[in-house]
Amino acid sequence: MILSLNNKDNITLCGMMGSGKSAVGKILAKKINFNFIDTDKLIEEKTGKSISEIFDEDGENKFRKIEQTIICDILQNKKIIVSLGGGAIINSETRKIINENSFSIYLNVKIDILKKRLKKSRNRPLIFGKDLHQTLTELFKKREKFYKKTDLIITNEKNINETVNNIIKNIIL
Protein backbone atom coordinates (compact mmCIF):
# COMPACT_ATOMS: atom_id res chain seq x y z
CA MET A 1 0.00 0.00 0.00
CA ILE A 2 1.46 3.35 -1.05
CA LEU A 3 0.10 6.32 0.83
CA SER A 4 -0.24 9.79 -0.59
CA LEU A 5 0.50 11.96 2.45
CA ASN A 6 2.18 14.95 0.78
CA ASN A 7 5.63 13.56 1.64
CA LYS A 8 4.78 13.44 5.34
CA ASP A 9 5.44 10.44 7.54
CA ASN A 10 2.63 10.76 10.07
CA ILE A 11 -1.11 11.38 10.24
CA THR A 12 -2.81 13.64 12.77
CA LEU A 13 -6.53 13.51 13.45
CA CYS A 14 -8.14 16.69 14.69
CA GLY A 15 -11.67 17.75 15.43
CA MET A 16 -14.00 18.57 18.26
CA MET A 17 -14.19 16.43 21.37
CA GLY A 18 -16.48 13.53 20.58
CA SER A 19 -15.65 13.56 16.87
CA GLY A 20 -14.16 10.05 17.07
CA LYS A 21 -10.46 10.81 16.68
CA SER A 22 -9.29 8.02 19.00
CA ALA A 23 -11.74 5.41 17.73
CA VAL A 24 -10.98 6.19 14.07
CA GLY A 25 -7.25 6.47 14.76
CA LYS A 26 -6.96 3.03 16.35
CA ILE A 27 -8.75 1.30 13.47
CA LEU A 28 -6.93 3.30 10.79
CA ALA A 29 -3.55 2.54 12.38
CA LYS A 30 -4.22 -1.20 12.27
CA LYS A 31 -5.38 -1.08 8.65
CA ILE A 32 -2.36 0.84 7.33
CA ASN A 33 0.21 -0.60 9.76
CA PHE A 34 1.00 2.61 11.66
CA ASN A 35 1.35 3.06 15.42
CA PHE A 36 -1.38 4.96 17.25
CA ILE A 37 -1.01 7.59 19.98
CA ASP A 38 -3.74 9.51 21.78
CA THR A 39 -2.15 12.75 23.01
CA ASP A 40 -4.59 13.19 25.90
CA LYS A 41 -3.81 9.70 27.22
CA LEU A 42 -0.08 10.29 26.81
CA ILE A 43 -0.31 13.62 28.66
CA GLU A 44 -2.08 11.85 31.53
CA GLU A 45 0.58 9.12 31.62
CA LYS A 46 3.49 11.59 31.55
CA THR A 47 2.06 14.01 34.14
CA GLY A 48 0.36 11.47 36.41
CA LYS A 49 -2.73 13.69 36.33
CA SER A 50 -6.03 13.55 34.49
CA ILE A 51 -6.74 16.25 31.90
CA SER A 52 -9.35 17.67 34.30
CA GLU A 53 -6.78 17.84 37.11
CA ILE A 54 -4.30 19.66 34.89
CA PHE A 55 -6.97 22.19 33.88
CA ASP A 56 -8.11 22.64 37.51
CA GLU A 57 -4.67 22.81 39.11
CA ASP A 58 -2.51 24.37 36.40
CA GLY A 59 -4.90 25.98 33.91
CA GLU A 60 -5.50 25.58 30.20
CA ASN A 61 -2.33 27.50 29.20
CA LYS A 62 -0.10 25.03 31.08
CA PHE A 63 -2.03 22.13 29.53
CA ARG A 64 -1.50 23.56 26.02
CA LYS A 65 2.26 23.90 26.66
CA ILE A 66 2.48 20.27 27.79
CA GLU A 67 0.38 19.24 24.78
CA GLN A 68 2.64 21.16 22.39
CA THR A 69 5.80 19.52 23.78
CA ILE A 70 4.28 16.05 23.53
CA ILE A 71 3.01 16.58 19.98
CA CYS A 72 6.44 17.86 18.93
CA ASP A 73 8.11 14.77 20.44
CA ILE A 74 5.63 12.33 18.89
CA LEU A 75 5.92 13.80 15.40
CA GLN A 76 9.68 13.26 15.33
CA ASN A 77 8.80 9.60 14.68
CA LYS A 78 7.49 7.98 11.52
CA LYS A 79 4.36 5.98 10.73
CA ILE A 80 2.37 7.35 13.66
CA ILE A 81 -1.30 8.24 13.75
CA VAL A 82 -1.91 10.89 16.39
CA SER A 83 -5.28 11.65 17.94
CA LEU A 84 -4.99 15.30 18.94
CA GLY A 85 -6.94 16.97 21.70
CA GLY A 86 -9.82 19.00 20.27
CA GLY A 87 -8.14 22.32 21.02
CA ALA A 88 -4.55 21.42 20.08
CA ILE A 89 -4.92 23.12 16.73
CA ILE A 90 -5.60 26.58 18.24
CA ASN A 91 -1.96 26.94 19.34
CA SER A 92 0.05 28.46 16.46
CA GLU A 93 3.28 26.63 17.36
CA THR A 94 1.44 23.32 17.63
CA ARG A 95 -0.22 23.96 14.25
CA LYS A 96 3.18 24.63 12.71
CA ILE A 97 4.56 21.34 14.09
CA ILE A 98 1.48 19.46 12.83
CA ASN A 99 1.65 21.03 9.36
CA GLU A 100 5.37 20.35 8.96
CA ASN A 101 5.36 16.79 10.27
CA SER A 102 2.02 15.21 9.47
CA PHE A 103 -0.80 14.79 7.03
CA SER A 104 -3.70 16.33 8.94
CA ILE A 105 -7.25 15.04 8.82
CA TYR A 106 -10.23 16.88 10.29
CA LEU A 107 -13.07 14.65 11.47
CA ASN A 108 -16.13 16.81 10.94
CA VAL A 109 -19.22 16.13 13.06
CA LYS A 110 -22.31 18.32 13.48
CA ILE A 111 -22.85 19.92 16.90
CA ASP A 112 -26.12 18.02 17.50
CA ILE A 113 -24.34 14.69 17.03
CA LEU A 114 -21.47 15.80 19.29
CA LYS A 115 -24.04 16.71 21.95
CA LYS A 116 -25.51 13.19 21.84
CA ARG A 117 -22.05 11.64 22.08
CA LEU A 118 -20.91 13.89 24.93
CA LYS A 119 -24.03 14.36 27.06
CA LYS A 120 -22.87 11.89 29.74
CA SER A 121 -19.19 12.86 29.67
CA ARG A 122 -17.72 13.83 33.05
CA ASN A 123 -14.01 13.96 32.18
CA ARG A 124 -13.93 16.88 29.75
CA PRO A 125 -13.13 20.08 31.62
CA LEU A 126 -14.18 22.50 28.88
CA ILE A 127 -17.78 21.24 28.89
CA PHE A 128 -18.37 19.77 32.36
CA GLY A 129 -21.14 21.58 34.20
CA LYS A 130 -21.83 23.95 31.30
CA ASP A 131 -24.57 24.33 28.69
CA LEU A 132 -23.38 21.69 26.26
CA HIS A 133 -24.85 23.13 23.06
CA GLN A 134 -23.66 26.67 23.77
CA THR A 135 -20.16 25.57 24.82
CA LEU A 136 -19.66 23.28 21.83
CA THR A 137 -20.89 26.00 19.48
CA GLU A 138 -18.48 28.55 20.99
CA LEU A 139 -15.54 26.15 20.87
CA PHE A 140 -16.33 25.22 17.28
CA LYS A 141 -16.48 28.88 16.23
CA LYS A 142 -12.99 29.45 17.68
CA ARG A 143 -11.54 26.33 16.04
CA GLU A 144 -13.37 25.97 12.72
CA LYS A 145 -10.98 28.11 10.66
CA PHE A 146 -8.06 25.94 11.79
CA TYR A 147 -9.89 22.65 11.24
CA LYS A 148 -10.76 23.69 7.69
CA LYS A 149 -7.07 24.22 6.82
CA THR A 150 -6.23 20.52 7.25
CA ASP A 151 -5.06 18.34 4.38
CA LEU A 152 -8.28 16.30 4.33
CA ILE A 153 -11.78 16.79 5.76
CA ILE A 154 -13.86 13.69 6.45
CA THR A 155 -17.32 13.47 7.99
CA ASN A 156 -17.60 11.00 10.88
CA GLU A 157 -21.27 10.96 11.80
CA LYS A 158 -22.33 7.37 11.19
CA ASN A 159 -20.21 4.25 10.92
CA ILE A 160 -16.56 4.37 12.08
CA ASN A 161 -15.45 1.65 9.66
CA GLU A 162 -17.04 3.59 6.81
CA THR A 163 -15.12 6.69 7.94
CA VAL A 164 -11.83 4.76 8.10
CA ASN A 165 -12.40 3.29 4.64
CA ASN A 166 -13.21 6.76 3.31
CA ILE A 167 -9.91 8.07 4.72
CA ILE A 168 -7.99 5.18 3.18
CA LYS A 169 -9.62 5.82 -0.23
CA ASN A 170 -8.42 9.42 0.00
CA ILE A 171 -4.81 8.71 1.02
CA ILE A 172 -3.85 5.76 -1.17
CA LEU A 173 -2.13 6.48 -4.48
Side-chain angles (χ1 to χ4, degrees), residues 104-120:
S104 58
I105 300 172
Y106 164 44
L107 296 182
N108 185 21
V109 178
K110 291 180 190 134
I111 298 289
D112 288 339
I113 294 172
L114 292 174
K115 270 177 46 182
K116 288 177 188 167
R117 292 179 183 176
L118 295 167
K119 66 184 173 190
K120 293 181 182 172

Side-chain angles (χ1 to χ4, degrees), residues 96-148:
K96 183 179 176 196
I97 294 162
I98 291 165
N99 290 334
E100 289 173 358
N101 298 291
S102 73
F103 183 85
S104 58
I105 300 172
Y106 164 44
L107 296 182
N108 185 21
V109 178
K110 291 180 190 134
I111 298 289
D112 288 339
I113 294 172
L114 292 174
K115 270 177 46 182
K116 288 177 188 167
R117 292 179 183 176
L118 295 167
K119 66 184 173 190
K120 293 181 182 172
S121 180
R122 300 281 174 253
N123 62 343
R124 298 176 189 265
L126 292 176
I127 61 169
F128 183 69
K130 298 178 182 164
D131 179 286
L132 190 55
H133 185 81
Q134 180 182 345
T135 304
L136 288 172
T137 301
E138 288 170 5
L139 288 171
F140 181 71
K141 282 180 184 175
K142 289 178 189 171
R143 299 170 180 178
E144 179 181 25
K145 64 185 172 196
F146 304 120
Y147 290 152
K148 290 196 171 182

